[in-house]
Amino acid sequence: MGIGDRTYMRDQRPAREPISVTAWVVGVLVAFFILTLIQESAGANFLGWAMLRESAPLVWQWLTYALLHNEFWHLLGNCLILWWTGAIVEREHGPRALLAVLASGTLFGALVWALTGLGGDRSGLLVGISAGVYALMLVALLDKLDHQITLLLFFFLPVTLKVRWLLIAITLFTVLGWAFAELPGRHTWPQWKGAWNDSIAHSAHLGGLLFGWLAFRRLNQTNLSVQDAQEEMAPPPPTAPEPDVVRYDDEETAAVAPLTRQQARAELDLLLDKISARGFGSLSEADKRRLEELSARLR
């Protein structure tokens, strides 16, 4: 490629890469959060159609509840995990798999919340995309358990640990929160009272984790089967022939041997093949002299 073919020497600018699906999802969540702030400032209720209600859930609310977030920190946490793990899923499995896991994890989390969660003093409303994000997290990280990652606790304290321990900690926190904060209030058990009071929908998170594990198994089984089939059908790669070695037992004869231009080109190609395969150091002194003579002759 000549210098005139390079991008910076042409008037035409390189095409920009399209915005990733992960970035689009984050942008939509931020836009809905801004609409939530406008709604609260105006004292209106034009987003009530999106949140999921225990009392009278509508069909679309099983998915649209993920568009709304109660507060900034709720949105920030979900967007950070989504930006990190969503990019991994989109790169390894494609944008369709990203959207499918995110939507299905959101739906599965809502179902687990409706069946086992809510809690005694809950409002009966569910918002946030945490369930879908937890599903994405498992799909992205379950095959990277021994990778080292560094987290910024409280945005200033770096902590390095393996992915395995991060997932164990998140799963343990989710299960304990569900068992001691939500499940007791879901039933009338006088012997068992809720001992964990917070406003987190641990049951929805648990549903997202369960679906993420199932989705990870499904996606990786599909990839492995396709990969195995391709390996079985693919013929073995051809082995490159060993380049001919040019030898000159009689150096004087080699130096004065009359050659046509075509023969000189063929002999030069053999020497160049030897250099390409074994390096310049593999040439003997006679080879080096012959290389100079053939080069000078073909100029």
Side-chain angles (χ1 to χ4, degrees):
M1 181 174 66
I3 189 171
D5 297 325
R6 301 182 184 274
T7 303
Y8 52 79
M9 295 298 293
R10 300 195 303 263
D11 294 334
Q12 182 181 3
R13 295 184 179 181
R16 294 183 179 180
E17 295 185 0
I19 301 176
S20 66
V21 175
T22 301
W24 277 111
V25 174
V26 171
V28 170
L29 295 178
V30 172
F32 268 87
F33 183 73
I34 295 174
L35 290 177
T36 302
L37 296 179
I38 296 174
Q39 174 181 260
E40 294 180 357
S41 295
N45 186 25
F46 51 81
L47 293 177
W49 57 269
M51 62 181 61
L52 181 60
R53 303 175 184 273
E54 177 198 5
S55 57
L58 300 175
V59 175
W60 60 83
Q61 293 174 347
W62 296 95
L63 289 175
T64 58
Y65 78 91
L67 299 173
L68 307 179
H69 290 80
N70 282 329
E71 56 184 12
F72 172 75
W73 297 111
H74 188 199
L75 172 72
L76 180 63
N78 282 337
C79 285
L80 288 177
I81 301 176
L82 174 60
W83 187 265
W84 172 35
T85 60
I88 297 174
V89 174
E90 186 173 0
R91 181 176 64 251
E92 296 182 352
H93 303 286
R96 290 186 179 180
L98 165 70
L99 293 176
V101 171
L102 192 62
S104 301
T106 297
L107 177 60
F108 204 81
L111 292 174
V112 175
W113 172 80
L115 295 174
T116 70
L118 304 177
D121 57 349
R122 303 278 169 166
S123 61
L125 300 176
L126 181 64
V127 294
I129 201 172
S130 302
V133 167
Y134 273 42
L136 277 180
M137 182 170 54
L138 285 196
V139 172
L141 301 181
L142 272 179
D143 60 344
K144 304 172 181 63
L145 296 179
D146 292 324
H147 289 200
Q148 297 279 351
I149 59 172
T150 300
L151 304 176
L152 287 178
L153 295 184
F154 308 108
F155 298 98
F156 70 89
L157 180 62
V159 176
T160 301
L161 73 165
K162 288 186 176 181
V163 170
R164 179 189 313 274
W165 297 112
L166 173 65
L167 296 183
I168 289 175
I170 290 175
T171 303
L172 184 62
F173 177 79
T174 300
V175 172
L176 291 178
W178 168 75
F180 294 102
E182 290 187 81
L183 191 58
R186 184 64 172 167
H187 303 277
T188 56
W189 295 336
Q191 302 88 353
W192 187 16
K193 301 293 184 181
W196 187 327
N197 296 319
D198 59 27
S199 59
I200 300 175
H202 299 281
S203 54
H205 296 178
L206 182 61
L209 291 175
L210 291 174
F211 181 83
W213 178 74
L214 295 174
F216 170 80
R217 289 176 58 86
R218 176 60 180 171
L219 288 172
N220 283 272
Q221 285 176 357
T222 303
N223 290 343
L224 289 176
S225 62
V226 171
Q227 181 179 357
D228 293 340
Q230 291 175 346
E231 290 178 355
E232 292 178 0
M233 295 176 61
T239 56
E242 182 74 15
D244 295 332
V245 179
V246 181
R247 300 181 182 278
Y248 300 99
D249 296 331
D250 187 350
E251 296 182 4
E252 294 181 0
T253 303
V256 298
L259 296 174
T260 65
R261 188 174 183 83
Q262 184 177 2
Q263 290 173 332
R265 169 64 64 185
E267 188 176 346
L268 180 63
D269 288 341
L270 290 176
L271 286 170
L272 294 177
D273 289 342
K274 182 178 180 181
I275 295 173
S276 177
R278 303 182 182 181
F280 187 78
S282 64
L283 298 182
S284 63
E285 293 299 325
D287 291 341
K288 295 177 182 178
R289 288 195 298 270
R290 189 61 172 168
L291 180 64
E292 294 178 359
E293 292 170 2
L294 293 171
S295 301
R297 181 170 181 170
L298 294 172
R299 288 175 185 168

